[in-house]
Amino acid sequence: MASIAVCPGSFDPVTFGHLDIIRRGAKVFDKVYVCVLNNSSKKPLFTVEERCGLLREVTKDIPNVQVESFQGLLIDYAKSKQANVILRGLRAVSDFEYEMQGTSMNKVLDENIETFFMMTNNQYSFLSSSIVKEVAKYKGSVAELVPEAVEAALEKKFAKNERP
Ligand code: PNS
């Protein structure tokens, strides 16, 4: 049986931390669907289409990765792809409680889909899309934190947002 994983997230925008998890996941699983989903507690900067476009750009060299979006429950998306695994990155202890809640909920919704966690590379343990947006908003350099395409998209977004 092929191992199919879904790597879900807001990806607003994708960072080197996300990319590290996606790349490593693609070595472990036969197929990885990277799925942009709605997190109801976040107000995104980029549209779903923009987030998918950036993800496609930065994962185009990984043949077994496919980027999609889904409006609805992660577990329904995973079922529609016959995925047996949900793949998430864990940065620090502070991520644990939030991840445990989501994982437990997903287990109630479908006990057959397992959630696998990968420790984020130490280099990226502090990194989040929120901190990247904060730095980019005030014109700090995010070159070490995100791929070039994302850096350019952030510059454009904040330049545009500044117009009266
Ligand atoms: O990158 P994030 O914001 O931590 O990702 C969270 C996300 C989008 C994976 C989560 O909010 C999600 O699964 N949303 C879809 C709705 C859903 O299935 N909710 C119940 C499980 S948390």
Side-chain angles (χ1 to χ4, degrees), residues 7-12 18 35-42 70 72-76 88 91 98-99 101-103 105-106 109 129:
C7 184
S10 308
F11 302 107
D12 184 46
H18 294 127
C35 187
V36 174
L37 288 135
N38 179 45
N39 180 337
S40 47
S41 61
K42 292 182 180 169
F70 187 74
L73 288 175
L74 164 59
I75 214 78
D76 289 336
R88 293 280 288 174
R91 288 166 300 189
Y98 169 71
E99 293 299 334
Q101 192 182 29
T103 303
M105 189 64 245
N106 287 330
L109 294 170
S129 298

Side-chain angles (χ1 to χ4, degrees), residues 125-140:
S125 57
F126 69 96
L127 188 51
S128 68
S129 298
S130 310
I131 209 161
V132 165
K133 285 182 279 189
E134 174 101 353
V135 173
K137 184 176 175 184
Y138 297 109
K139 312 288 178 241

Side-chain angles (χ1 to χ4, degrees), residues 21-122:
I21 298 295
I22 296 168
R23 273 190 199 289
R24 286 161 56 207
K27 289 185 191 158
V28 175
F29 301 103
D30 296 321
K31 176 93 188 177
V32 177
Y33 289 97
V34 176
C35 187
V36 174
L37 288 135
N38 179 45
N39 180 337
S40 47
S41 61
K42 292 182 180 169
K43 193 176 172 291
L45 175 67
F46 291 95
T47 65
V48 169
E49 291 72 28
E50 288 169 331
R51 286 179 268 163
C52 285
L54 290 170
L55 276 163
R56 286 192 187 109
E57 173 65 27
V58 303
T59 59
K60 64 183 178 204
D61 63 318
I62 322 174
N64 57 335
V65 165
Q66 192 169 325
V67 176
E68 296 189 340
S69 65
F70 187 74
Q71 296 285 339
L73 288 175
L74 164 59
I75 214 78
D76 289 336
Y77 174 78
K79 275 194 254 187
S80 76
K81 296 290 161 189
Q82 277 97 45
N84 28 33
V85 167
I86 292 168
L87 173 65
R88 293 280 288 174
L90 256 193
R91 288 166 300 189
V93 181
S94 49
D95 280 345
F96 183 78
E97 211 165 320
Y98 169 71
E99 293 299 334
M100 197 178 80
Q101 192 182 29
T103 303
S104 307
M105 189 64 245
N106 287 330
K107 202 75 183 155
V108 170
L109 294 170
D110 189 330
E111 61 178 6
N112 296 312
I113 299 180
E114 296 293 345
T115 301
F116 281 29
F117 291 98
M118 251 184 204
M119 286 301 297
T120 304
N121 192 313
N122 280 347

